[in-house]
Amino acid sequence: MLAMNTPTIETERNQALDILRGFAVLGILIMNIQSFAMPGAAYLNPTAYGNPEGINKWVWVISHVLADQKFMTIFSILYGAGIVLVTSRAEEKTGKSAGLYYKRTFWLLIIGLIHAHLIWYGDILVAYALCALVFFPLRKMRPSRQLGLGIFLFSIHSLIYLFFGSTIQYWPPESIAEMADFWAPGIESIQHEMAMVTGTFSQQIQHNSSSAIELETAVFLLLMFWRISGLMLIGMSLYNRGFLLAHKTVAHYRKTALIVFPVGFALVIFGVIKNFAADWDLTYSMFLGSQFNYWGSLLISIGYISLIMLLAKSSVFSSLKDRLAAVGQMALTNYISQSIIGALLFFGIGFSLFGQVERWMQVVIVLAVWTLQLIWSKPWLNSYRFGPLEWVWRSLTYGKKQPLRKKLPYTEESLI
């Protein structure tokens, strides 16, 4: 007899996946902090705002090489894996998964929209939910086909960028001027952005919403859909092959890391050198110059995943693994809480530090947030089954309030 759908219980979780998710949610703050603290152009172009020399330059270089696009890539891969995980478990319990899957995706979309328009425009959840709506039918495709189709979709993003870069001389002058102001904004544009971000709550919502709408429409359709969809399919393939579950041998993960890291880092570092040599010129650095990191990040992310799988398979650092896994189990809560902390520190609703904190000081804030989340996640999960936002998401998905506090003794029957 088939059972009813219930949320994943603690004994069903794969620790390697949770550790990897925790690693990703902490790592993504390395780059997101720049968008909280500085005008948006500074994320892509280190010369667009602030002092790009000395320690600040090295902070940018190191964060770009080690983090930029790497953790977002891991997150996207994990979301693809999650599609297979959630639907397969639902089908094991009830024989069907479509209803649960689409309700779960719908409520993630709503959470993402609230996050993007009210807290921080750089939200990624909306894009994940929109892509996930399309890829439900592909979850049972053969892993080799998932991988091939994923790489193909991922490459479309590059083709679009290269097309734009090779045709920019034919653009209308007003379009080139608009793009130039986006890439390296003038004083007036920067002052306007700072005034909106540090202004009233209404101004902050207006700034968030206008930026979010652009990301959710034109940017999503032209660029993000292809990248995220490709990575989700790669994630499905890696999950189905057992790569994300620490099912491969130690030798396999070591060999993978030794292959992908040298190539990936060489590509990214070469791109950094070329972009600085081009003085971060729009016509080169935004288009062709960005592709070294785009492809290098995919390889480096696979290397990071390999290292995390090696950590998960080892018997060392058990306390760190437990804490990373707890952060990963509460990934949604920790991701949104990073945005809330960022808004309180940098936006007008809080301390209005936007544009005043140099890159090296941003690192200190990142380390402080990491410490906080590593400290609080495990004690919370010692008493509660889910993180606060995970509980809200699951309650909405299953259409009824889920039990939150853990019961003793803890049994699966108590969850039904």
Side-chain angles (χ1 to χ4, degrees):
M1 180 177 176
L2 294 174
M4 65 183 291
N5 266 321
T6 55
T8 301
I9 62 174
E10 196 166 9
T11 54
E12 293 177 331
R13 301 197 70 93
N14 179 280
Q15 190 188 44
L17 272 177
D18 284 335
I19 293 172
L20 180 59
R21 194 176 292 110
F23 174 71
V25 78
L26 293 179
I28 206 167
L29 184 60
I30 298 173
M31 298 308 300
N32 285 352
I33 191 72
Q34 298 179 33
S35 291
F36 290 121
M38 308 171 75
Y43 185 97
L44 298 173
N45 177 5
T47 66
Y49 182 81
N51 176 18
E53 300 300 328
I55 188 173
N56 288 316
K57 178 179 178 179
W58 282 108
V59 167
W60 182 88
V61 169
I62 292 171
S63 64
H64 177 80
V65 172
L66 296 181
D68 186 20
Q69 299 189 36
K70 285 75 179 175
F71 295 99
M72 184 270 195
T73 296
I74 296 174
F75 253 135
S76 302
I77 286 172
L78 281 169
Y79 199 93
I83 292 174
V84 181
L85 175 63
V86 168
T87 56
S88 61
R89 283 181 172 169
E91 288 162 7
E92 287 174 5
K93 292 177 180 179
T94 68
K96 55 187 178 181
S97 62
L100 173 70
Y101 175 83
Y102 284 112
K103 283 190 290 185
R104 181 178 185 268
T105 303
F106 170 77
W107 286 114
L108 182 68
L109 176 62
I110 298 302
I111 293 170
L113 288 169
I114 294 170
H115 177 226
H117 291 263
L118 298 184
I119 302 174
W120 179 54
Y121 69 88
D123 167 83
I124 196 63
L125 303 177
V126 170
Y128 285 170
L130 293 175
C131 291
L133 291 172
V134 178
F135 286 97
F136 176 76
L138 303 184
R139 70 198 187 282
K140 294 184 178 181
M141 181 185 286
R142 285 193 311 200
S144 58
R145 291 185 177 179
Q146 288 171 334
L147 181 62
L149 180 58
I151 293 173
F152 171 73
L153 292 176
F154 187 79
S155 68
I156 291 177
H157 179 285
S158 289
L159 296 176
I160 293 171
Y161 257 55
L162 294 175
F163 172 77
F164 285 153
S166 63
T167 60
I168 191 170
Q169 66 267 33
Y170 304 112
W171 294 9
E174 58 271 19
S175 297
I176 296 176
E178 182 180 350
M179 186 63 70
D181 192 60
F182 164 79
W183 181 251
I187 294 175
E188 185 177 341
S189 296
I190 289 175
Q191 288 178 341
H192 174 74
E193 183 175 354
M194 293 181 70
M196 295 294 286
V197 172
T198 60
T200 65
F201 186 51
S202 176
Q203 288 176 306
Q204 292 165 58
I205 292 177
Q206 182 183 345
H207 172 72
N208 272 331
S209 192
S210 62
S211 300
I213 288 172
E214 184 176 0
L215 288 174
E216 292 159 3
T217 54
V219 175
F220 174 77
L221 292 172
L222 277 173
L223 302 172
M224 293 178 66
F225 173 80
W226 307 107
R227 180 184 180 196
I228 293 172
S229 296
L231 291 171
M232 283 185 177
L233 281 166
I234 291 170
M236 290 183 191
S237 176
L238 293 178
Y239 178 85
N240 286 325
R241 293 168 184 266
F243 190 85
L244 299 176
L245 299 170
H247 288 173
K248 301 295 184 179
T249 65
V250 168
H252 182 87
Y253 289 116
R254 284 178 179 169
K255 181 179 179 180
T256 301
L258 287 172
I259 292 172
V260 297
F261 272 143
V263 180
F265 280 121
L267 277 172
V268 176
I269 292 170
F270 180 76
V272 170
I273 293 170
K274 293 286 288 183
N275 281 310
F276 273 106
D279 198 25
W280 290 93
D281 177 70
L282 165 68
T283 57
Y284 175 79
S285 295
M286 185 172 181
F287 299 107
L288 176 60
S290 68
Q291 294 308 297
F292 300 103
N293 187 52
Y294 183 76
W295 287 95
S297 292
L298 176 58
L299 296 174
I300 292 171
S301 297
I302 299 300
Y304 283 162
I305 293 171
S306 299
L307 292 184
I308 294 298
M309 294 303 107
L310 287 172
L311 175 65
K313 292 174 75 70
S314 74
S315 59
V316 299
F317 301 118
S318 57
S319 178
L320 174 62
K321 289 191 289 188
D322 288 344
R323 291 194 176 274
L324 276 173
V327 172
Q329 282 184 247
M330 295 173 54
L332 180 61
T333 294
N334 282 317
Y335 173 65
I336 301 294
S337 68
Q338 289 174 0
S339 296
I340 293 172
I341 292 170
L344 290 174
L345 285 175
F346 299 106
F347 298 173
I349 195 174
F351 293 97
S352 298
L353 295 177
F354 186 79
Q356 301 179 43
V357 179
E358 295 188 24
R359 293 184 188 274
W360 72 269
M361 277 299 298
Q362 295 169 26
V363 175
V364 176
I365 295 171
V366 169
L367 292 175
V369 174
W370 284 359
T371 302
L372 178 65
Q373 295 188 328
L374 285 166
I375 288 174
W376 92 289
S377 298
K378 191 171 187 301
W380 176 276
L381 289 175
N382 287 340
S383 300
Y384 300 97
R385 294 179 58 222
F386 312 113
L389 287 181
E390 284 75 11
W391 175 76
V392 171
W393 187 17
R394 281 162 173 77
S395 295
L396 292 169
T397 297
Y398 291 96
K400 65 179 181 179
K401 183 179 177 181
Q402 297 295 310
L404 180 59
R405 185 177 290 275
K406 286 184 175 179
K407 296 180 180 180
L408 294 175
Y410 186 70
T411 63
E412 182 173 3
E413 287 72 21
S414 69
L415 306 181
I416 300 176

